[in-house]
Amino acid sequence: MMVLTRKMIEIRSILQKVGQSTSLTLPSIVVIGSQSSGKSSVLEAIVGHQFLPKGLNMVTRRPIELTLVNTAGSEEEYGEFPDLGLKRISDFSSIQRTLTELNMAVSDADCVSDDPIHLTIHSPNVPDLSLIDLPGYIQVVGQNQPLELKQKINELCDKYIQPPNIILAISAADVDLANSAALRASRRVDPRGERTIGVITKMDLVDPTRGASILNDKQYPLRLGYVGVVSKAPLAQGLFNLGPTNLTSAIAKHEKSYFSSHMLEFGPDAGVSVGTTTLRKKLMYVLEQTMSSSLQSTSNAIQQELEEATYEFKVQYNDRPLSAESYLAESLDAFKHSFKQFTEEFGRTQMRDLLKSELDQKLLDILASRYWNRPITDLSLAQPEPDHVADLPKAEPNSVYWRRQLDVSAASLTKLGVGRLATTVVAASLQSHVEKLLDESNFATHPFARQAIIEAASTILNERFYSTSDQVENCIKPFKFEIDVEEREWNQGRQHVGEVLKKELSDCEAALIGLEASVGGRRKIKEVMSFVDKARKGDIFVEGDGRSGAGGFSASLLAKGCEAVFLRDRADIIKMRLLAIKSNQCSSVKNKYYCPEVFLDAAASKLAATAVLFLNVELLSEFYYNFPRELDLRLGRHLSSNEVEKLAREDPKICRHLEVIRRKELLELVLEKMDSLRQLEGRDRDRMAGG
Ligand code: GDP
């Protein structure tokens, strides 16, 4: 028979994992009593150890759901707090400390908490039992205690003493039973006294005749009867140091000597139950019976829960199976697949375009500083009117001035650190593509995985960064000495730089319009611009640095005026240069000194093309090869199943899906166990009936 309680306790712990459901309660023994009625002493006598919080002001503030597991055949005794992940604590004073701390953690404002502490004790000396220790009833609220404490304790106890639980009502013999808070509470929920066991403690404190009459009480008759105990060990101190069974056996010995010295009142013929040993047996028997009779109803309740979970699974998740592992594996595969597709779309051409457009910007800077940002009259090379260029050399092939200009410009281009620039641009682009793929993947909602993937990419790219930069820089070295542009390249450059200049022109124009709007219209900006123009030509004398208040314009307006003048001049020059590039003068590489834009563009293209050859080998291929492997390392087999679970559950939708499946599986498991238990029960009954 005793298998039942044990199996049911097992089932109970599985059900605890199912969580959230309140309807799935297996019967347990709930221990209630007034403060100081001897409740803790009784529990400790059953467990055989002092482990409950004690102390003057120590009120239990959370229910302790105590599961006792008999480990016959093993010497070891230990406690576990499964919710805290604390395992195999064999020092019971440490269990006591933990319980005390958990109690203290409940704030005064909350008084008591109904969140139970789960504690399991494994020992060869305990019976299989499940007991719930509740805060003791208080009569008068103490000085340092919150006023609502009494009320809250009553409410908490009421919650637990509901069926199918068994009530262990503790009352002290030296207090009139009519004043027993435990019996009063029990009567309210169990008026016929069908599921209450009365325990009368401190039997040694009353006259034996009186003690015996309490146990025979007719005023509060209980079907399960009363048991009288003397659960105070004779040696209250120093018991931590005694052997494991000593508390139980010390109490048993003490009780025996007490009760047997009053045979008349407590002997076999007296018709009363006494002693902790008797109480233990009674608890086991009653719990077993209750479990057995609630087997069917619990099984039905579980069946119903299961049906609900199954329905939810079908309706909301289309019966789609899912595990954290499969989810992660599929997500990773899908991500790797999308990455593979990306690798087919992003190659040399894309790298070259990226790099080229970066160089286009550098080119504009160089052109501006070497050619365009000078006084307009300097730009003799494309000016048809000779009177503007009186004191400047003509841009002829053998003009030293213009040769030098172009040489220096070309050097600025080849020496701007193409290796580092190219590597940075490509690496940044790869990184941002990875992030884009991530955003479109399952991992978008998984911060941990997202982080892992981004790090995987940056680790590889960082590792390759310096060597790639160096390689690229080395391979473009020859261009630092000479750049040979062929006609074909010239024509392509001429075409391309035209586009670049047009774009720059439209950017200038757009910026100008933006400025106009920001100062409140075209008229206003024109006014400021003409003031700036005059000031520049020296027609107006501007005091000080000319920045603030000059011409009646505010400093910020003047700054905008200067910017507008700059943009206008830049646009004018670009228009002029666009004409020049289109003109016959720029039709051949032979006239490169007339057309620095075209020559430098062709040079930039050569740099980009060469750089890309090496980027492809040093960076791109390496990245394409290593990235999927790095992903496997970080998100594959190396993760523990806990980590996988945690990762999958980061997505609330997946978490709910997994939760439903887990619940369903746990309930199925429980039901299976219950079924086999019922069969076992049936067989037992048949055998009993047959025998
Ligand atoms: P709780 O507040 O209900 O948990 O009560 P305790 O178990 O802490 O007991 C209150 C006091 O009564 C303690 O000082 C115990 O030593 C004492 N006590 C408990 N049971 C007995 C008993 O059977 N006989 C005697 N004489 N004292 C007891």
Side-chain angles (χ1 to χ4, degrees), residues 34-41 202 204-205 229-232:
S34 307
Q35 259 184 334
S36 301
S37 57
K39 200 157 61 71
S40 313
S41 306
K202 311 192 187 180
D204 55 328
L205 295 188
V229 298
V230 181
S231 48
K232 183 189 167 96

Side-chain angles (χ1 to χ4, degrees), residues 38 66 244 286 300 675:
L66 183 63
V286 173
N300 290 348
D675 277 349

